[in-house]
Amino acid sequence: MNDHRSLGRELGIFDTDPLIGSGLPYWLPAGAAVRKAVEDYVHELERRNGYQHVNSPVLGKRELYERSGHWAHYAEDMFPPMSVGGEEFVLRPSLCPHHAIVYRSRQRSHRDLPLRLAELGGMYRSEQSGVLGGLSRVRAIQLNDGHVFCPPERAAAEVSAALDLIGQAHARLGVGAVRHRLSLRGEGGKYVDDPAMWARSESVLREALDERGQDYDEEPGEGAFYGPKIDIQITDPAGRESTLSTVQVDFYQPARFDLTYVSPEGPRRPVMVHRSVVGGLERLVAHLIEVHAGAFPAWLAPVQAVVLPLSDAELPAAARVLSRCLAAGLRAELAPADRSSLGARIRAHRLVPYQLVVGPREAASGGAAVRLRDGGQAGDVPVERLAAEARPFP
């Protein structure tokens, strides 16, 4: 069974230290490379689908979260306020209040909508120590977040478009969702008490799911405090289920922040569609480690190519091949002959998609014999072609 907590450390993806604290893993070079590949892919995928990217602070004044409703409905999951200069600041538990502020920073017209904003940003949850584990449950989360501000009549279409985007990303990453869940409100004070608003939000989500013919399960008590959501569920090798991607319909925060746009009929209130294509990068990478058992697709692999000189005599030629790999955009490294035999070096780099062997003949021609991860031989393939094959968008 591939457990990311042990395999991730073995592969140099991440580690933890009690001096930093529980639920606060740090990324090692291999993990940082995987994370950057995911970031770049999702950023470009969003750009191609009409999103504009923003950046916002990880802190906000307490009043921001009182306005958004987090303080009243979500405070137990937030870190306590910090007093600075007579004001109280809070590590944000989500990005949506900041994006509401971005929206209202300019006057918006119906011609500007839908406005699709996206950000990869940090958020912080005060998780209890007993539920923390590896990368899958942490206190500091890098969230792939986004918010679509649109007219109410377009909300269902934007939900469906977000689900399309999620499906496209999951297919590219090798993620297999086990089910879609319609997460509804439950009992108690956690949820905003506005039955009409909840019914309206649920209607939009059901419309989008039904039009797609998407099967889903309903689960009361799993909704966000401000509205229902569609959760895309995954499982780990032990069968434990968790949420990776979400789409939510929110009529609450647009009203709390008095968001409007100018229409021919006069001022109107937009709907705020929250969506996360791949969720938190920590949980995503934990899942990818387990799904691929460390043998990541070429575009996602921490090291995409390793150059293997047959002997010290081929080292200068191998170094030139390495330079061409790096110039072509490949994440590549050199494994010199003085480390061990060729067979031992191949085994040590068995998870690398492309193994470039440089013997006397290849040194003379300036090329390399490409060996694939599955043991297949590709011959003398130009590194530029390998780099093209290893791009997230071929």
Side-chain angles (χ1 to χ4, degrees):
M1 185 173 70
N2 299 319
D3 187 327
H4 86 275
R5 290 171 295 183
S6 55
L7 189 55
R9 289 178 171 87
E10 177 187 333
L11 297 173
I13 302 293
F14 77 99
D15 214 328
T16 57
D17 191 287
L19 197 57
I20 295 177
S22 299
L24 299 170
Y26 56 89
W27 298 88
L28 295 167
V34 173
R35 172 176 155 172
K36 183 64 164 59
V38 172
E39 291 176 14
D40 290 348
Y41 166 71
V42 174
H43 189 283
E44 178 62 12
L45 180 65
E46 290 171 332
R47 187 195 67 79
R48 294 185 182 199
N49 284 272
Y51 282 84
Q52 301 177 60
H53 289 89
V54 298
N55 296 106
S56 56
V58 299
L59 288 169
K61 291 173 65 174
R62 172 174 165 171
E63 288 90 335
L64 175 66
Y65 304 103
E66 291 174 340
R67 176 74 64 87
S68 70
H70 285 82
W71 195 257
H73 299 278
Y74 201 76
E76 64 182 22
D77 294 305
M78 297 170 62
F79 282 95
M82 297 171 278
S83 180
V84 181
E87 296 180 311
E88 287 191 321
F89 292 86
V90 180
L91 283 169
R92 66 179 174 194
S94 65
L95 281 68
C96 45
H98 288 78
H99 287 192
I101 296 295
V102 171
Y103 178 91
R104 78 172 196 179
S105 68
R106 302 287 187 274
Q107 185 179 67
R108 308 292 179 179
S109 162
H110 67 99
R111 296 184 182 89
D112 302 324
L113 305 186
L115 176 65
R116 302 182 182 98
L117 302 179
E119 179 176 2
L120 178 70
M123 67 179 195
Y124 303 85
R125 302 281 172 88
S126 182
E127 301 278 10
Q128 297 301 309
S129 298
V131 302
L132 301 172
L135 291 175
S136 59
R137 195 73 177 263
V138 295
R139 287 172 169 153
I141 303 164
Q142 289 297 311
L143 183 69
N144 157 244
D145 205 5
H147 298 90
V148 181
F149 300 88
C150 66
E153 60 270 17
R154 189 176 168 83
E158 289 299 326
V159 169
S160 189
L163 290 171
D164 284 340
L165 204 59
I166 290 168
Q168 186 176 343
H170 284 196
R172 189 70 177 123
L173 289 160
V175 172
V178 294
R179 68 185 179 113
H180 285 58
R181 185 178 77 186
L182 181 58
S183 298
L184 307 172
R185 67 170 177 163
E187 301 296 327
K190 171 185 174 182
Y191 300 99
V192 172
D193 186 15
D194 188 336
M197 182 193 73
W198 279 89
R200 190 180 179 195
S201 300
E202 289 174 23
S203 175
V204 173
L205 293 180
R206 292 181 195 278
E207 178 184 344
L209 288 166
D210 292 342
E211 286 188 356
R212 297 170 65 85
Q214 176 65 59
D215 293 333
Y216 60 92
D217 302 316
E218 296 184 14
E219 289 200 20
E222 294 293 339
F225 72 83
Y226 48 78
K229 55 195 176 95
I230 299 169
D231 291 324
I232 290 85
Q233 302 297 102
I234 57 172
T235 56
D236 66 11
R240 293 182 293 256
E241 187 176 296
S242 59
T243 300
L244 184 62
S245 307
T246 64
V247 185
Q248 307 166 23
V249 170
D250 182 3
F251 291 97
Y252 178 72
Q253 290 190 74
R256 297 283 290 185
F257 285 98
D258 194 24
L259 305 184
T260 61
Y261 64 93
V262 178
S263 77
E265 298 78 31
R268 294 188 72 195
R269 182 93 62 210
V271 179
M272 191 173 180
V273 177
H274 305 236
R275 46 97 286 186
S276 182
V277 176
V278 296
L281 292 191
E282 292 78 9
R283 179 171 293 177
L284 171 66
V285 173
H287 187 64
L288 293 177
I289 292 169
E290 294 172 347
V291 166
H292 298 295
F296 297 102
W299 72 272
L300 198 54
V303 177
Q304 297 169 314
V306 59
V307 184
L308 304 156
L310 194 60
S311 69
D312 288 342
E314 288 79 40
L315 186 58
R320 290 190 290 271
V321 171
L322 175 65
S323 294
R324 292 209 308 277
C325 288
L326 296 172
L330 284 167
R331 295 186 291 276
E333 61 183 33
L334 181 67
D338 61 1
R339 294 184 181 177
S340 55
S341 68
L342 178 62
R345 283 178 285 149
I346 287 175
R347 289 191 295 274
H349 294 86
R350 65 190 180 280
L351 297 178
V352 177
Y354 306 123
Q355 299 166 347
L356 282 57
V357 180
V358 180
R361 183 173 59 184
E362 290 79 21
S365 68
V370 179
R371 183 181 187 277
L372 303 179
R373 182 164 52 197
D374 61 6
Q377 304 292 329
D380 190 355
V381 179
V383 296
E384 292 76 14
R385 189 190 306 171
L386 296 178
E389 292 175 357
R391 294 187 185 118
F393 294 93

